[in-house]
Amino acid sequence: MFCGDYVQGTIFPAPNFNPIMDAQMLGGALQGFGCDKDMLIDILTQRCNAQRLMIADAYQSMYGRDLIGDLKEKLSDHFKDVMVGLMYPPPSYDAHELWHAMKGAGTEENCLIDILASRTNGEIFQMREAYCLQYSNNLQEDIYSETSGHFRDTLMNLAQGTREEGYTDPAMAAQDAMVLWEACQQKTGEHKTMLQMVLCNKSYQQLWLVFQEFQNISGQDIVDAINECYDGYFQELLVAIVLCIRDKPAYFAYRLYSAIHDFGFHNKTVIRILIARSEIDLMTIRKRYKERYGKSLFHDIKNFASGHYEKSLLAICAGDAEDY
């Protein structure tokens, strides 16, 4: 798959959208002691993010209350995380996830890797702005204080959002590949820095050429070489960058599979990827998941989650009959 390939999400703008009616229905669903969770799922997973924000405005005007606040108050556990997560604009959701990944007892490195290795320059720019607005903190300063070593340097580089776009220089590709190859042989601090500079700053198109040249020079795939030469979060981050450059939906399929199977259903990761990719490439991620692992994502979620939480995740996946 090349960068320009067609990818598809699972959530689209609802036709005949009426935010006032939706806000009324949500108001009814959230009133009283009980709570009509099916109604929440039916409305919030079947509207795109821009429509949900319009519903929240209508809700505020109608009831004088904040919809996110009411969802947080009325719901609990992972179901609450899904419904509330759907209400954030994408840059705010990324910012929210990064903040919580760094502000807990320990840093959740995998969250930092998932987000920063996969986002475009534009997404990173908006996420930094949202982070600053929401938390009155600077994203890069927080990354600096919560991480260390070459892992930190690479995250800081990605968080600048200054990757070249659309630019290729075939003559430079062999040179860049040599830099990567030497970095895998020598492993000095200087070589690690050069390695991450190439992976964080060159365009996706250029890196496609570089990875081919690397294979020619070394007789080895770049991912295998990184896995052999490095370890820890630095290695995981470098591999994530390479996988995202090659095929982003396949990267997220792999992350979902490992979150479900290797970590006994790591809820935070599953929720974050489903929500964040729902309008970008989740349908394509589902396809890659099925091709690669033989079972559908739908099937695996059904196996591990339950109740309204399961129902909400399946609704975001937009599964259909053939997925059971």
Side-chain angles (χ1 to χ4, degrees):
M1 174 188 145
F2 199 62
C3 308
D5 267 19
Y6 181 66
V7 293
Q8 194 181 22
T10 53
I11 293 179
F12 303 93
N16 312 317
F17 171 61
N18 182 338
I20 293 170
M21 201 186 322
D22 283 349
Q24 272 174 335
M25 306 278 272
L26 289 176
L30 290 165
Q31 292 313 308
F33 292 112
C35 174
D36 187 346
K37 293 175 181 168
D38 290 318
M39 174 75 73
L40 298 182
I41 294 171
D42 288 347
I43 293 176
L44 297 181
T45 66
Q46 303 306 309
R47 310 287 182 269
C48 69
N49 188 263
Q51 291 176 332
R52 287 182 216 123
L53 300 181
M54 290 163 74
I55 295 170
D57 285 345
Y59 188 93
Q60 179 77 50
S61 309
M62 207 176 281
Y63 300 104
R65 289 200 311 274
D66 174 48
L67 178 54
I68 288 187
D70 282 1
L71 290 167
K72 282 181 176 171
E73 189 187 316
K74 289 282 183 179
L75 306 176
S76 60
D77 302 328
H78 302 308
F79 180 62
K80 173 177 82 175
D81 297 337
V82 177
M83 293 294 108
V84 170
L86 287 168
M87 295 307 304
Y88 287 103
S92 303
Y93 187 58
D94 278 347
H96 171 271
E97 292 295 291
L98 290 170
W99 168 262
H100 287 281
M102 292 190 279
K103 291 301 153 194
T107 303
E108 257 190 89
E109 286 84 359
N110 278 320
C111 173
L112 305 184
I113 293 172
D114 272 354
I115 292 176
L116 291 168
S118 65
R119 302 307 192 250
T120 64
N121 288 350
E123 287 166 341
I124 286 169
F125 177 75
Q126 289 183 303
M127 170 204 311
R128 283 208 320 258
E129 288 208 312
Y131 193 93
C132 194
L133 277 171
Q134 281 159 238
Y135 305 108
S136 308
N137 272 34
N138 177 297
L139 174 61
Q140 282 140 304
E141 283 173 16
D142 282 355
I143 290 170
Y144 192 84
S145 67
E146 296 298 326
T147 56
S148 62
H150 289 280
F151 177 59
R152 169 168 74 189
D153 298 343
T154 312
L155 289 173
M156 295 288 285
N157 197 341
L158 291 169
Q160 287 174 2
T162 50
R163 184 184 291 286
E164 290 170 353
E165 289 181 334
Y167 173 79
T168 56
D169 179 351
M172 267 302 287
Q175 218 173 313
D176 290 336
M178 276 306 291
V179 168
L180 297 185
W181 189 68
E182 280 175 17
C184 287
Q185 305 304 305
Q186 317 258 354
K187 295 189 267 197
T188 66
E190 194 183 338
H191 282 93
K192 287 180 189 174
T193 300
M194 284 157 71
L195 175 65
Q196 63 95 350
M197 293 292 277
V198 171
L199 291 180
C200 295
N201 297 325
K202 302 283 178 177
S203 74
Y204 273 31
Q205 292 86 339
Q206 178 70 6
L207 286 166
W208 271 70
L209 300 177
V210 173
F211 299 157
Q212 282 167 349
E213 287 290 347
F214 184 92
Q215 178 90 40
N216 298 341
I217 293 167
S218 67
Q220 196 178 23
D221 184 72
I222 181 77
V223 171
D224 295 333
I226 291 169
N227 285 335
E228 264 176 37
C229 301
Y230 294 106
D231 56 18
Y233 291 119
F234 180 56
Q235 169 254 329
E236 285 185 38
L237 177 55
L238 297 179
V239 168
I241 296 168
V242 174
L243 295 178
C244 284
I245 289 161
R246 284 194 167 149
D247 186 339
K248 211 171 275 183
Y251 168 72
F252 283 116
Y254 151 70
R255 288 288 299 129
L256 283 166
Y257 188 84
S258 71
I260 293 170
H261 294 276
D262 302 343
F263 296 97
F265 211 84
H266 193 264
N267 295 286
K268 276 186 180 174
T269 303
V270 175
I271 294 168
R272 181 179 64 247
I273 294 174
L274 293 189
I275 291 177
R277 309 311 294 182
S278 60
E279 291 182 44
I280 302 172
D281 53 6
L282 185 54
M283 191 61 85
T284 314
I285 291 167
R286 278 180 43 192
K287 240 189 248 164
R288 296 283 191 279
Y289 194 99
K290 186 84 180 270
E291 289 162 6
R292 195 154 289 204
Y293 305 111
K295 289 204 178 85
S296 72
L297 178 58
F298 208 73
H299 169 278
D300 280 352
I301 289 171
K302 271 186 95 63
N303 256 358
F304 284 91
S306 61
H308 286 94
Y309 173 47
E310 173 201 332
K311 197 174 173 189
S312 64
L313 293 180
L314 296 180
I316 295 169
C317 272
D320 40 45
E322 85 234 17
D323 276 318
Y324 282 90

